Amino acid sequence: LQWEGKEVLHCEVGQPESGAPNAVAEAAIAALTGPPREVMGYTDAFGLLPLREKISAHYKAKYGDDAVSDESVDPSRIVVTTGSSGGFLLAFMSCFDVGDHIAIASSGYPCYRNISGALGINLVNVKINKEFKLTATELQEEIARRKEEGLPPINGLILSSPSNPTGAMLTPKELKDLCNLCEQEKIQFISDEIYHGIVYDKEEATALQYSENAIIINSFSKYYSMSGWRLGWMVIPEALVDPINRLQQNMFINAPTISQTAALKCWDADTLSELEGHVVKYRTSRGIILGELKTIKEIDSTNIAPADGGFYVYVDLGEENVAPGLGSIAMCRALLEEENVAFTPGSDFEDPSGTLGDRRFRISYAGGVETAKRAMDRFHRFWPTWLE
């Protein structure tokens, strides 16, 4: 459609409209042009030490000096990665063998499914609850079911909070209970925290507060608005330092040096002020989308995920609003063709063995307030024609 000259409103991808913060972009230009012009050669496998020190200080400042121990965020246990995707790959390869079983939320980020599948790891889809969450309650039920039926045990759990696609966020107690259960059952917990910082009136907690064995994965792509710079980080247990160092050296050597150099500016006061301004815009866009959805009487409010954090609203059309061949996949296709608005059908996120993928869809509001407003205006116009 865009090749035909049509304007498409992009509400399908988690791509911040803002781009990198000003100071980050300026630091990259200065490093590349000088004077003096920096070589941009290899860094240590775990990344630039000054950057790892800043990440360590970030945890103490954000979650509380007493909440996160010095040992857990020692720079020697922080790995700067090639995006969070590099972190997922390093975590899976260091912790699991072919044939192991990893639990994921039944509504979850598709790359968990795809990367683990490519490595020969079996997935255990754990059904989310009515609040669109996977908590210790749901995980315990799955553990008990597998024991009762003689199925292989769960070796790992990877979970994002705030979640992609639902936006649902675990409370600190829910996160603590999940960490405790994983410790009790010897399940390696991988806590995906890449949407931290983009939260609406909820208390954030990191798994580092409750577990010495959890792996934390974060990214510069979302809150820091640096998606194309391919930069993320891990915080890992001491026991994984050596194996992940070996994997990183052989698979990636190091994360992009220019991105690391520029990211040193991410925690400057002016940068943080700029980034908090982005969150204000996300909140406004979120309100526009949720407000518009409330006016559509056919969509039950309980079928709209809570959108506690991140920049997505996840919607279940309900059984009454779908028919064979006329589910969310067809709806998203028709919306794109008729109104030039791109939403993402739930088939990207749901357990492929079920049918919810063709009932649910995700709206991203990372693309700006005006995009969200115009997209929802068009969706409101489209909706009655779709029901017909």
Side-chain angles (χ1 to χ4, degrees):
L1 291 173
Q2 288 180 315
W3 289 345
E4 296 171 0
K6 295 177 181 177
E7 179 195 30
V8 175
L9 298 178
H10 289 281
C11 297
E12 83 282 19
V13 293
Q15 165 102 341
E17 67 156 345
S18 50
N22 291 328
V24 170
E26 289 168 1
I29 293 169
L32 290 171
T33 60
R37 179 175 174 271
E38 296 189 27
V39 174
M40 293 300 147
Y42 299 132
T43 71
D44 291 343
F46 275 20
L48 293 171
L49 180 58
L51 181 57
R52 288 184 280 139
E53 289 173 339
K54 283 184 176 289
I55 292 169
S56 174
H58 158 73
Y59 277 95
K60 305 290 280 186
K62 182 174 180 63
Y63 302 102
D65 193 53
D66 296 331
V68 178
S69 70
D70 293 341
E71 294 80 10
S72 67
V73 292
D74 188 274
S76 66
R77 291 169 57 174
I78 294 172
V79 188
V80 182
T81 60
T82 306
S84 61
S85 299
F88 299 144
L89 192 57
L90 290 169
F92 290 166
M93 293 194 72
S94 62
C95 294
F96 308 117
D97 292 321
V98 171
D100 278 353
H101 291 72
I102 299 179
I104 63 170
S106 57
S107 302
Y109 181 48
C111 287
Y112 301 158
R113 200 180 308 277
N114 298 335
I115 294 173
S116 59
L119 295 173
I121 301 168
N122 298 303
L123 284 179
V124 178
N125 288 280
V126 181
K127 188 176 180 181
I128 57 174
N129 62 24
K130 292 181 179 180
E131 297 179 317
F132 291 83
K133 297 180 182 181
L134 190 167
T135 70
T137 299
E138 290 73 43
L139 182 60
Q140 182 64 72
E141 289 173 354
E142 178 61 24
I143 292 169
R145 183 186 75 84
R146 299 181 74 81
K147 287 179 179 178
E148 183 179 333
E149 297 181 12
L151 297 173
I154 294 172
N155 306 104
L157 166 70
I158 183 166
L159 185 70
S160 61
S161 175
S163 165
N164 176 13
T166 70
M169 181 175 165
L170 298 179
T171 66
K173 183 181 184 305
E174 288 170 334
L175 180 60
K176 182 178 181 180
D177 290 347
L178 197 59
C179 287
N180 289 342
L181 178 59
C182 287
E183 297 280 346
Q184 175 187 322
E185 296 290 335
K186 294 181 170 53
I187 292 171
Q188 177 62 63
F189 181 33
I190 303 171
S191 183
D192 179 352
E193 301 177 1
I194 73 171
Y195 291 98
H196 275 217
I198 310 174
V199 173
Y200 314 104
D201 308 316
K202 299 285 183 178
E203 182 182 355
E204 289 177 295
T206 171
L208 287 172
Q209 295 171 242
Y210 311 118
S211 173
E212 296 180 357
N213 296 312
I215 295 173
I216 312 302
I217 294 181
N218 211 316
S219 171
F220 289 89
S221 294
K222 307 303 181 181
Y223 176 74
Y224 300 96
S225 207
M226 295 172 63
S227 54
W229 297 65
R230 304 317 304 138
L231 200 65
W233 75 81
M234 308 170 71
V235 186
I236 59 176
E238 180 66 33
L240 290 177
V241 168
D242 184 59
I244 288 181
N245 184 40
R246 291 169 185 261
L247 287 167
Q248 174 86 322
Q249 288 188 27
N250 282 279
M251 296 173 66
F252 301 102
I253 301 180
N254 62 264
T257 304
I258 183 60
S259 301
Q260 293 190 58
T261 303
L264 289 166
K265 292 291 185 179
C266 278
W267 294 278
D268 289 3
D270 288 348
T271 300
L272 291 174
S273 177
E274 182 181 344
L275 294 172
E276 285 301 306
H278 297 170
V279 178
V280 171
K281 293 179 182 178
Y282 297 146
R283 180 188 291 270
T284 300
S285 298
R286 171 181 177 268
I288 289 168
I289 294 168
L290 292 175
E292 190 63 47
L293 289 172
K294 282 183 180 179
T295 70
I296 300 176
K297 65 181 186 302
E298 292 84 5
I299 298 179
D300 191 324
S301 62
T302 62
N303 284 343
I304 301 172
D308 299 323
F311 32 57
Y312 309 115
V313 174
Y314 199 53
V315 183
D316 189 329
L317 289 170
E319 291 184 7
E320 62 278 10
N321 292 319
V322 298
L326 294 173
S328 62
I329 296 172
M331 188 202 77
C332 288
R333 183 183 297 113
L335 179 65
L336 179 61
E337 292 174 350
E338 296 174 23
E339 295 288 351
N340 298 339
V341 174
F343 291 169
T344 306
S347 53
D348 274 12
F349 311 106
E350 295 292 333
D351 178 356
S353 67
T355 60
L356 288 174
D358 200 24
R359 234 177 64 179
R360 294 175 172 175
F361 65 97
R362 189 190 75 177
I363 306 171
S364 168
Y365 49 91
V369 175
E370 186 62 23
T371 296
K373 184 177 186 307
R374 293 174 63 203
M376 293 311 293
D377 286 345
R378 294 186 192 183
F379 182 66
H380 188 89
R381 181 173 63 197
F382 164 85
W383 178 254
T385 66
W386 171 250
L387 288 183
E388 294 173 1

